[in-house]
Amino acid sequence: MIRVALPYHLRTLAGVDGAEVELALEGAATLRAVLDALEERYPALRGTLRDYASGRRRPFIRFFA
């Protein structure tokens, strides 16, 4: 189980209550897998975490393990 802490503006956009969401991943827990699962579960976040064209994460997205 992966816990993801979302900043206020992304929580509002996704319609999430609370500061964290939990994601279940199949396979290895890579950054790409976490972002894929997050965008799949919360479609409103598509394009806010990664650039549509290049697939690169946006500069304001930070990862902490």
Side-chain angles (χ1 to χ4, degrees), residues 2-3 6 11 15 17 21 29 31 36 39 42 54 56 58 61 64-65:
I2 302 292
R3 293 184 328 189
L6 295 172
R11 286 193 312 257
D17 292 328
V21 295
L31 296 179
D36 287 344
E39 289 177 341
Y42 303 103
S54 67
R56 296 183 68 186
R58 303 262 184 212
I61 301 297
F64 302 97

Side-chain angles (χ1 to χ4, degrees), residues 15-64:
V16 173
D17 292 328
E20 292 184 348
V21 295
E22 291 187 355
L23 301 171
L25 299 179
E26 295 179 19
T30 64
L31 296 179
R32 178 177 292 257
V34 170
L35 290 178
D36 287 344
L38 195 59
E39 289 177 341
E40 183 178 325
R41 186 167 174 190
Y42 303 103
L45 295 179
R46 288 190 182 125
T48 61
L49 304 173
R50 293 186 279 194
D51 182 65
Y52 279 119
S54 67
R56 296 183 68 186
R57 71 175 170 88
R58 303 262 184 212
F60 62 87
I61 301 297
R62 303 288 186 254
F63 295 96
F64 302 97

